[in-house]
Amino acid sequence: MANFSSPMPSREFLWDVFQRVDKDRSGFISSDELQMALSNGTWTPFNPETVRLMIGMFDKHNRGTVSFDDFGALWKYVTDWQSCFRSFDRDGSGNINVSELKDALSSFGYRLGEQIVSVMLKRFDRFGRGTILFDDFIQCCVVLHTLTAAFRQFDTDQDGYITIHYEQFLNMVFGLKI
C-alpha cells in the first residue's frame, strides 16, 4: 500500500479522545462506543461490521474492547485510512465509485478484473448507490487483505492457483477473522 501514514498524535491528545469515546468510563472502548465516535462522512452510523473488524484487530486480550494502550494504534489506523480514502475519492464526492475502487486496489498491488471489482463494490455498497462510503471502503480492503493472506498460505509457489480439499477450504474460511 502507498504511504498514507499520518504522524502519531501526542499521548495527551489521545487520552482526551479516549476519555470522550469511553462513555461508560470502563477504561475500555467497546464496539458500540467506537461506532458512535466514528464518522463515515454522512449522517448514517459507521458500519458495525467495520467497527467489529477494527476492534478485533486491536483487541490484544480478546475481550471485544480496546484499552488505552491499544487506542493509539487504532487511532492511527483510522486516520491513515482517511488519508487513503481521500486520495482515491478523486471527485471529492465522499464515496468511492467502481473506477476509484479499481485504482485503489491496483495501487495496493491487486491485479483484479473489472468484473470482480464490480462484485466487490456491490458487496460493500450498503445503500445500493453504486458507491461505497469510507467505513465500507475500510471493510472492503481489510476483507480482501485477509482473504488474500489466507489464499497465499496455500499458494506456496505464488502462481495464483491452489489445490485444496473441501474441509481445508472450510477450515480456512471459518478460521478467518472477518
Coordinates of all heavy atoms in Angstrom, one line a residue, residues 134-178:
F134 N -16.7 5.7 3.3 CA -15.4 5.5 4.0 C -15.3 4.2 4.8 O -14.4 3.4 4.7 CB -15.1 6.7 4.9 CG -14.0 6.5 5.8 CD1 -12.7 6.3 5.3 CD2 -14.1 6.7 7.2 CE1 -11.6 6.2 6.2 CE2 -13.0 6.5 8.0 CZ -11.8 6.3 7.5
D135 N -16.3 4.0 5.7 CA -16.3 2.8 6.5 C -16.4 1.5 5.7 O -15.8 0.5 6.1 CB -17.4 2.9 7.6 CG -18.8 3.2 7.1 OD1 -18.9 3.6 5.9 OD2 -19.8 3.1 7.9
D136 N -17.2 1.5 4.6 CA -17.3 0.3 3.8 C -16.0 0.1 3.0 O -15.7 -1.1 2.7 CB -18.5 0.5 2.9 CG -19.8 0.7 3.6 OD1 -20.0 0.0 4.7 OD2 -20.6 1.5 3.2
F137 N -15.3 1.1 2.7 CA -14.0 1.0 2.0 C -13.0 0.3 2.9 O -12.3 -0.6 2.4 CB -13.6 2.4 1.6 CG -12.2 2.5 0.9 CD1 -12.0 2.0 -0.4 CD2 -11.1 3.0 1.6 CE1 -10.8 2.0 -1.0 CE2 -9.9 3.1 1.0 CZ -9.7 2.6 -0.3
I138 N -13.0 0.7 4.1 CA -12.1 0.0 5.1 C -12.4 -1.5 5.1 O -11.5 -2.3 5.0 CB -12.2 0.6 6.5 CG1 -11.7 2.1 6.5 CG2 -11.4 -0.2 7.5 CD1 -11.9 2.8 7.9
Q139 N -13.7 -1.8 5.3 CA -14.1 -3.2 5.4 C -13.7 -3.9 4.1 O -13.2 -5.0 4.2 CB -15.6 -3.3 5.7 CG -16.1 -4.7 5.9 CD -17.6 -4.8 6.0 OE1 -18.3 -3.9 5.9 NE2 -18.0 -6.0 6.4
C140 N -14.0 -3.4 3.0 CA -13.7 -4.0 1.7 C -12.2 -4.3 1.7 O -11.8 -5.5 1.3 CB -14.1 -3.1 0.6 SG -13.6 -3.6 -1.1
C141 N -11.3 -3.4 2.0 CA -9.9 -3.6 1.9 C -9.4 -4.6 2.9 O -8.5 -5.4 2.6 CB -9.2 -2.2 2.0 SG -9.5 -1.1 0.6
V142 N -9.9 -4.5 4.1 CA -9.5 -5.4 5.2 C -9.9 -6.9 4.8 O -9.1 -7.8 5.0 CB -10.0 -5.0 6.6 CG1 -9.8 -6.1 7.6 CG2 -9.4 -3.7 7.0
V143 N -11.1 -7.0 4.3 CA -11.6 -8.4 3.9 C -10.7 -8.9 2.8 O -10.3 -10.1 2.8 CB -13.1 -8.4 3.6 CG1 -13.5 -9.6 2.9 CG2 -13.9 -8.1 4.9
L144 N -10.5 -8.1 1.8 CA -9.7 -8.5 0.6 C -8.3 -8.9 1.1 O -7.7 -10.0 0.7 CB -9.6 -7.4 -0.4 CG -8.7 -7.8 -1.6 CD1 -9.3 -9.0 -2.4 CD2 -8.6 -6.5 -2.6
H145 N -7.7 -8.1 2.0 CA -6.3 -8.4 2.5 C -6.4 -9.7 3.3 O -5.5 -10.6 3.1 CB -5.9 -7.3 3.4 CG -4.6 -7.6 4.1 ND1 -3.4 -7.5 3.5 CD2 -4.4 -8.0 5.4 CE1 -2.4 -7.9 4.4 NE2 -3.0 -8.2 5.5
T146 N -7.4 -10.0 4.1 CA -7.5 -11.2 4.9 C -7.7 -12.4 4.0 O -7.0 -13.4 4.3 CB -8.7 -11.0 5.9 OG1 -8.4 -9.9 6.7 CG2 -8.8 -12.3 6.8
L147 N -8.5 -12.3 3.1 CA -8.8 -13.4 2.1 C -7.5 -13.7 1.3 O -7.2 -14.9 1.1 CB -9.9 -13.1 1.2 CG -11.3 -13.1 1.8 CD1 -12.3 -12.5 0.8 CD2 -11.7 -14.4 2.3
T148 N -6.8 -12.7 0.9 CA -5.6 -12.9 0.1 C -4.5 -13.6 1.0 O -3.8 -14.5 0.5 CB -5.1 -11.5 -0.4 OG1 -6.1 -10.9 -1.2 CG2 -3.8 -11.7 -1.2
A149 N -4.4 -13.1 2.2 CA -3.4 -13.8 3.1 C -3.7 -15.2 3.3 O -2.8 -16.1 3.3 CB -3.3 -13.0 4.4
A150 N -5.0 -15.6 3.5 CA -5.4 -17.0 3.7 C -5.1 -17.8 2.4 O -4.6 -18.9 2.5 CB -6.9 -17.0 4.0
F151 N -5.4 -17.2 1.2 CA -5.1 -17.9 0.0 C -3.6 -18.1 -0.2 O -3.2 -19.2 -0.6 CB -5.6 -17.0 -1.2 CG -5.5 -17.6 -2.5 CD1 -6.5 -18.4 -3.0 CD2 -4.4 -17.4 -3.3 CE1 -6.4 -19.0 -4.3 CE2 -4.3 -18.0 -4.6 CZ -5.3 -18.8 -5.1
R152 N -2.8 -17.1 0.2 CA -1.4 -17.3 0.0 C -0.7 -18.3 0.8 O 0.3 -18.9 0.5 CB -0.7 -15.9 0.3 CG -0.9 -15.0 -0.9 CD 0.0 -13.7 -0.7 NE -0.2 -12.9 -1.9 CZ -0.1 -11.6 -1.8 NH1 0.1 -10.9 -0.7 NH2 -0.2 -10.9 -2.9
Q153 N -1.4 -18.7 1.9 CA -0.9 -19.8 2.8 C -0.8 -21.1 2.0 O 0.0 -22.0 2.2 CB -1.7 -20.0 4.0 CG -1.5 -18.9 5.0 CD -2.3 -19.1 6.3 OE1 -3.4 -19.7 6.2 NE2 -1.8 -18.7 7.4
F154 N -1.8 -21.3 1.0 CA -1.8 -22.5 0.2 C -1.2 -22.3 -1.1 O -0.8 -23.3 -1.8 CB -3.3 -22.9 0.0 CG -4.0 -23.4 1.3 CD1 -4.7 -22.5 2.0 CD2 -3.8 -24.7 1.7 CE1 -5.3 -23.0 3.2 CE2 -4.4 -25.1 2.9 CZ -5.2 -24.3 3.6
D155 N -1.0 -21.1 -1.6 CA -0.3 -20.8 -2.9 C 1.2 -20.6 -2.7 O 1.7 -19.6 -2.9 CB -0.9 -19.5 -3.5 CG -0.5 -19.2 -4.9 OD1 0.1 -20.1 -5.5 OD2 -0.7 -18.0 -5.3
T156 N 1.8 -21.7 -2.3 CA 3.2 -21.7 -2.0 C 4.1 -21.3 -3.1 O 5.2 -20.7 -2.9 CB 3.6 -23.1 -1.4 OG1 3.3 -24.1 -2.4 CG2 2.9 -23.4 -0.1
D157 N 3.7 -21.6 -4.3 CA 4.6 -21.2 -5.5 C 4.2 -19.8 -6.1 O 4.7 -19.4 -7.1 CB 4.6 -22.3 -6.6 CG 3.2 -22.6 -7.1 OD1 2.2 -22.0 -6.6 OD2 3.1 -23.4 -8.0
Q158 N 3.2 -19.2 -5.4 CA 2.8 -17.8 -5.8 C 2.4 -17.7 -7.3 O 2.6 -16.7 -7.9 CB 3.9 -16.8 -5.5 CG 4.2 -16.7 -4.0 CD 3.1 -16.3 -3.1 OE1 2.6 -15.2 -3.3 NE2 2.7 -17.1 -2.1
D159 N 1.6 -18.7 -7.8 CA 1.2 -18.7 -9.2 C -0.3 -18.3 -9.3 O -0.8 -18.2 -10.4 CB 1.5 -20.0 -9.9 CG 0.6 -21.2 -9.4 OD1 -0.1 -21.0 -8.3 OD2 0.7 -22.2 -9.9
G160 N -1.0 -18.1 -8.2 CA -2.4 -17.6 -8.2 C -3.3 -18.8 -8.3 O -4.5 -18.6 -8.5
Y161 N -2.8 -20.0 -8.1 CA -3.7 -21.2 -8.1 C -3.4 -22.0 -6.8 O -2.2 -22.1 -6.4 CB -3.4 -22.1 -9.3 CG -3.8 -21.4 -10.6 CD1 -2.8 -20.7 -11.3 CD2 -5.0 -21.5 -11.1 CE1 -3.2 -20.1 -12.5 CE2 -5.4 -20.9 -12.3 CZ -4.5 -20.2 -13.0 OH -4.8 -19.5 -14.2
I162 N -4.4 -22.6 -6.3 CA -4.3 -23.6 -5.2 C -5.1 -24.8 -5.4 O -6.1 -24.7 -6.1 CB -4.6 -22.9 -3.8 CG1 -6.1 -22.5 -3.7 CG2 -3.7 -21.8 -3.5 CD1 -6.6 -22.0 -2.4
T163 N -4.7 -25.9 -4.8 CA -5.5 -27.1 -4.8 C -5.6 -27.5 -3.3 O -4.6 -27.8 -2.7 CB -4.8 -28.2 -5.6 OG1 -4.5 -27.8 -6.9 CG2 -5.6 -29.5 -5.6
I164 N -6.9 -27.5 -2.9 CA -7.2 -27.9 -1.5 C -8.4 -28.7 -1.5 O -9.3 -28.6 -2.4 CB -7.3 -26.7 -0.6 CG1 -8.4 -25.7 -1.0 CG2 -6.0 -26.0 -0.4 CD1 -8.6 -24.5 -0.1
H165 N -8.6 -29.5 -0.5 CA -9.9 -30.3 -0.4 C -10.9 -29.4 0.3 O -10.6 -28.4 1.0 CB -9.7 -31.7 0.1 CG -9.1 -31.8 1.5 ND1 -9.9 -31.6 2.6 CD2 -7.9 -32.1 2.0 CE1 -9.1 -31.7 3.7 NE2 -7.9 -32.1 3.3
Y166 N -12.1 -29.9 0.3 CA -13.2 -29.1 0.8 C -13.1 -28.7 2.3 O -13.3 -27.6 2.7 CB -14.5 -29.9 0.6 CG -15.8 -29.2 1.0 CD1 -16.1 -27.9 0.4 CD2 -16.6 -29.7 1.9 CE1 -17.3 -27.2 0.8 CE2 -17.8 -29.0 2.3 CZ -18.1 -27.8 1.7 OH -19.2 -27.1 2.1
E167 N -12.7 -29.7 3.1 CA -12.5 -29.4 4.5 C -11.4 -28.4 4.8 O -11.5 -27.6 5.7 CB -12.3 -30.7 5.3 CG -13.6 -31.4 5.5 CD -13.6 -32.6 6.5 OE1 -12.6 -32.6 7.3 OE2 -14.5 -33.4 6.5
Q168 N -10.3 -28.4 4.0 CA -9.3 -27.4 4.1 C -9.8 -26.0 3.8 O -9.6 -25.1 4.5 CB -8.1 -27.7 3.2 CG -7.2 -28.8 3.6 CD -6.1 -29.0 2.5 OE1 -6.4 -29.3 1.4 NE2 -4.9 -28.8 2.9
F169 N -10.7 -26.0 2.7 CA -11.3 -24.7 2.4 C -12.2 -24.2 3.5 O -12.1 -23.0 3.9 CB -12.1 -24.9 1.1 CG -13.0 -23.7 0.7 CD1 -12.5 -22.6 0.2 CD2 -14.4 -23.8 0.9 CE1 -13.3 -21.5 -0.1 CE2 -15.2 -22.7 0.6 CZ -14.6 -21.6 0.1
L170 N -13.0 -25.0 4.0 CA -13.9 -24.6 5.1 C -13.1 -24.2 6.3 O -13.5 -23.2 7.0 CB -14.9 -25.8 5.5 CG -16.0 -26.1 4.5 CD1 -16.8 -27.3 4.9 CD2 -16.8 -24.9 4.2
N171 N -12.1 -24.9 6.7 CA -11.2 -24.6 7.8 C -10.6 -23.2 7.6 O -10.6 -22.4 8.5 CB -10.2 -25.7 8.0 CG -9.5 -25.6 9.3 OD1 -10.1 -25.2 10.3 ND2 -8.2 -25.9 9.4
M172 N -10.2 -23.0 6.4 CA -9.6 -21.7 6.0 C -10.6 -20.5 6.2 O -10.3 -19.6 6.9 CB -9.0 -21.7 4.6 CG -8.4 -20.4 4.1 SD -7.8 -20.4 2.4 CE -9.3 -20.5 1.5
V173 N -11.7 -20.7 5.6 CA -12.8 -19.7 5.6 C -13.3 -19.4 7.0 O -13.4 -18.3 7.5 CB -13.9 -20.0 4.7 CG1 -15.1 -19.0 4.8 CG2 -13.4 -20.0 3.2
F174 N -13.7 -20.5 7.7 CA -14.2 -20.3 9.1 C -13.2 -19.9 10.1 O -13.5 -19.4 11.2 CB -14.9 -21.6 9.5 CG -16.2 -21.9 8.8 CD1 -16.5 -23.1 8.3 CD2 -17.1 -20.9 8.6 CE1 -17.6 -23.4 7.6 CE2 -18.3 -21.1 7.9 CZ -18.6 -22.3 7.4
G175 N -11.9 -20.0 9.8 CA -10.8 -19.6 10.7 C -10.5 -18.1 10.5 O -9.7 -17.6 11.3
L176 N -11.1 -17.5 9.5 CA -10.7 -16.1 9.3 C -11.4 -15.1 10.2 O -12.6 -15.4 10.6 CB -11.1 -15.7 7.9 CG -10.3 -16.4 6.8 CD1 -10.9 -16.0 5.4 CD2 -8.8 -16.2 6.8
K177 N -10.8 -14.1 10.6 CA -11.4 -13.0 11.5 C -12.0 -11.9 10.6 O -11.5 -10.8 10.5 CB -10.4 -12.4 12.4 CG -10.0 -13.3 13.6 CD -9.1 -12.6 14.5 CE -9.7 -12.4 15.9 NZ -8.9 -11.7 16.8
I178 N -13.1 -12.3 9.9 CA -13.7 -11.3 9.0 C -15.2 -11.3 9.3 O -15.7 -12.2 9.9 CB -13.5 -11.4 7.5 CG1 -13.8 -12.9 7.0 CG2 -12.0 -11.1 7.2 CD1 -13.7 -13.0 5.5

